[in-house]
Amino acid sequence: MKRSPHEIKYSEGTLRMARFAKALGHPVRIEILKFLAEQSCCFTGDLVEIFPLAQSTVSQHLKELYEAGLIRGKIEPPRVRYCIHEENWKKARDLFADFFQKQELG
Amino acid sequence: MKRSPHEIKYSEGTLRMARFAKALGHPVRIEILKFLAEQSCCFTGDLVEIFPLAQSTVSQHLKELYEAGLIRGKIEPPRVRYCIHEENWKKARDLFADFFQKQELG
DNA sequence: ATCTATCATCGCAAATAAACGATAATCTTT
DNA sequence: AAAGATTATCGTTTATTTGCGATGATAGAT
């Protein structure tokens, strides 16, 4: 994109929420999170079996979720166990809940 | 992207939520929605004054929000009044609430 | 009929995202 | 030391997003 001359200054909450939302902006990532929430945890390979996607693609989606802070990864060689990042999960839940509640008052 | 041979089949709720989330995936769109939720409605020009973005850019963000179903637009020549799409707003609120609640049970 | 105001759309450029196969990294087991 | 299993990362391709200025569309006002 053609960058703007002056960066816009956003609140911490807005940036945080946009980050979470962006990670949730792909159906496969929502499905991964749903699966994780049910199983509590799983390995990368489990997801590769479930979704008709290349292993590298699944890994990349996991990276997105990880960098957004929605999941944790624990190395258990040679595998990696991914779980919901509960603290940030609650943070996200609260951010979205507060956000969507705003209109209700009016 | 290099397209997959077979499309993945997602549930309606997942697709709907991903669509909403994608629209919320940019800080400026979150700010616009916050503003709309406070004001209940506003014109495009109001937003152009608030945000240091070109008019065409603001218009494009509004289009995104509109196509995601989060806002309504009512033509009041020569202006357009945008408001929260209350029905879909509630739909989104419920989708995100249900989604984030899943982990709480475990 | 022309002018003005407001907004959308077009066309462009740069950046990011999404998918893949191939390769590298890591730790266990042999 | 070598082999296996699992996953991350790299490099590439195509698609989408983000931003801008310029142009087009629409309806009220002159």
Side-chain angles (χ1 to χ4, degrees):
Chain A
M1 58 186 152
K2 226 176 281 177
R3 302 290 275 82
S4 192
H6 35 48
E7 290 290 314
I8 302 181
K9 188 64 185 159
Y10 300 105
S11 77
E12 197 54 44
T14 293
L15 287 173
R16 201 81 195 282
M17 185 172 163
R19 192 81 175 79
F20 286 139
K22 202 165 143 192
L24 296 173
H26 192 294
V28 111
R29 291 196 289 263
I30 289 183
E31 291 293 333
I32 288 174
L33 289 171
K34 279 187 181 174
F35 185 74
L36 276 180
E38 281 173 11
Q39 308 288 318
S40 92
C41 291
C42 79
F43 300 109
T44 306
D46 300 335
L47 299 169
V48 174
E49 286 179 7
I50 294 175
F51 298 102
L53 294 171
Q55 179 267 323
S56 59
T57 303
V58 171
S59 187
Q60 199 172 324
H61 282 302
L62 287 170
K63 187 182 179 186
E64 289 255 347
L65 292 171
Y66 180 84
E67 290 180 343
L70 288 167
I71 62 175
R72 290 175 176 285
K74 190 183 177 195
I75 299 179
E76 298 183 8
R79 302 185 288 183
V80 181
R81 182 189 298 274
Y82 284 103
C83 312
I84 298 290
H85 191 310
E86 300 203 17
E87 192 182 329
N88 290 343
W89 187 268
K90 287 181 180 128
K91 177 70 180 169
R93 179 200 50 179
D94 293 347
L95 278 171
F96 280 93
D98 288 354
F99 178 81
F100 281 116
Q101 204 170 4
K102 296 219 162 163
Q103 185 66 2
E104 324 289 326
L105 316 172
Chain B
M1 58 187 150
K2 226 176 279 176
R3 301 289 276 85
S4 190
H6 34 50
E7 289 291 315
I8 302 181
K9 188 63 185 161
Y10 300 104
S11 76
E12 196 54 43
T14 293
L15 287 174
R16 201 81 194 283
M17 186 173 160
R19 192 79 176 81
F20 286 139
K22 202 165 142 193
L24 296 173
H26 192 294
V28 109
R29 290 196 289 266
I30 289 183
E31 291 293 334
I32 288 174
L33 288 171
K34 278 186 180 174
F35 185 75
L36 276 180
E38 281 172 13
Q39 309 288 319
S40 94
C41 291
C42 79
F43 300 109
T44 306
D46 299 334
L47 299 169
V48 174
E49 285 179 7
I50 294 175
F51 299 102
L53 294 170
Q55 179 264 322
S56 59
T57 303
V58 171
S59 187
Q60 199 170 327
H61 283 302
L62 287 169
K63 187 182 179 184
E64 288 255 348
L65 292 171
Y66 180 84
E67 289 180 344
L70 288 167
I71 62 175
R72 291 175 176 286
K74 191 183 176 194
I75 299 177
E76 299 183 8
R79 301 184 288 183
V80 180
R81 180 188 299 274
Y82 284 102
C83 313
I84 298 290
H85 190 309
E86 300 203 17
E87 192 182 330
N88 290 342
W89 187 267
K90 287 182 180 127
K91 177 70 182 168
R93 179 199 52 180
D94 294 347
L95 278 171
F96 280 94
D98 289 354
F99 178 81
F100 281 115
Q101 203 171 5
K102 296 217 161 163
Q103 185 65 0
E104 323 291 326
L105 316 171

